[in-house]
Amino acid sequence: MFGALALLALLVFLLILAAPYIRKAVSNGVCTSMVQLPGKVAIVTGANTGIGKETAKDLAQRGARVYLACRDLQKGELAANEIRAKTGNQQVLVQKLDLSDTKSIRAFAEAFLSEEKQLHILINNAGVMMCPYSKTADGFEMHIGVNHLGHFLLTHLLLERLKESAPSRVVNVSSLAFHMGRIHFYNLHGTGVTTYSVHPGTVNSELVRHSTCIKLMWKLFSSFIKTPQEGAQTSLYCALTEGLEPLSGKHFSCVLLFMTPFGIVLAKILASFTISFSSLFHRRETEANRFK
């Protein structure tokens, strides 16, 4: 018993000693691009907190006109006020977007397209994780509905504006779990729109708000977990780094290109499901236009 306690104490002591070095290792990968963005227009979903907020702040600091696409307008306005104060950029706007409701997504896209003639950067950052089982307004399971289908529809509705504004970029904040598959965006080739999937690392954000266990772990191991600012670096790297166009469709983890040959079948299943969903969107749009 005494030996086990002594071993545990030694392990804790070694972790404390190693903490600064581990902290440095997990927070590596920084966007070093000096690109400035005056005259550019960007959208960041879920930008009222965490990685999205830090991403929006960096884009605003570079002079972009940034739309914070948020479900909670009050929190969005608080974030926008903070970003304006810190960057001096008054072109930080808030617009309602609920990715669990296709009507809200369509309303957002319609309002944006009526206001803006250009869109250079779309960062699909918002997401949910480990939330209690529920369905979106359209009947889809919440995780697939918000994290994948909602952003798919948003990108679909904004794609023509992205093409018109080329060169433009779409950055999808994902997870290391997606390293098992690859999705090839062949139908974007030659349009001037490039797209990237990113894993930001393990980040202390509100994404884990539905899991008490993970929140406790985050507190215990806070020295080894990225801050939202550090977590935003991969999104910024893919959105800003010059010469990244040949790597369109690739997955990046902590600013590094990350690819494995596994999970192709999973990727094909997801792609097939999304294509079916796209057909549903098209039918709904056709029917809606018929009765206008």
Side-chain angles (χ1 to χ4, degrees), residues 43-46 69 95-97 99 102 104-110 112-113 119 122-126 146 148-160 162 170 277 281:
I43 294 174
V44 183
T45 67
Q95 201 162 307
K96 170 85 172 178
L97 174 64
L99 288 162
T102 56
S104 175
I105 299 170
R106 292 179 184 279
F108 172 89
E110 184 178 351
F112 176 85
L113 294 173
L119 176 58
L122 170 60
I123 299 185
N124 292 323
N125 166 84
V146 170
H148 182 70
L149 299 178
H151 278 128
F152 174 83
L153 175 58
L154 177 66
T155 306
H156 168 72
L157 295 173
L158 298 175
L159 189 55
E160 289 306 314
L162 283 160
V170 179
F277 191 59
F281 285 153

Side-chain angles (χ1 to χ4, degrees), residues 4 18 41 43 47 60 72 85 95 100 141 158 195 252 272 275 281 288:
V41 180
I43 294 174
D72 189 321
Q95 201 162 307
S100 68
E141 190 278 326
L158 298 175
T195 180
F252 289 77
S272 177
I275 289 169
F281 285 153

Side-chain angles (χ1 to χ4, degrees), residues 6-22 224:
L7 184 61
L8 180 60
L10 177 62
L11 179 60
V12 172
F13 178 70
L14 291 175
L15 279 174
I16 293 172
L17 286 180
Y21 304 99
I22 297 175
F224 313 119

Side-chain angles (χ1 to χ4, degrees), residues 240-262:
L240 302 170
T241 302
E242 295 177 285
L244 210 62
E245 288 78 8
L247 297 179
S248 178
K250 306 303 183 188
H251 183 76
F252 289 77
S253 178
C254 302
V255 181
L256 300 174
L257 178 63
F258 187 89
M259 294 178 63
T260 69
F262 305 108

Side-chain angles (χ1 to χ4, degrees), residues 177-178 180-182 263-271:
F178 283 89
M180 294 185 294
R182 279 183 293 177
I264 295 176
V265 172
L266 179 61
K268 287 182 177 180
I269 292 172
L270 180 60

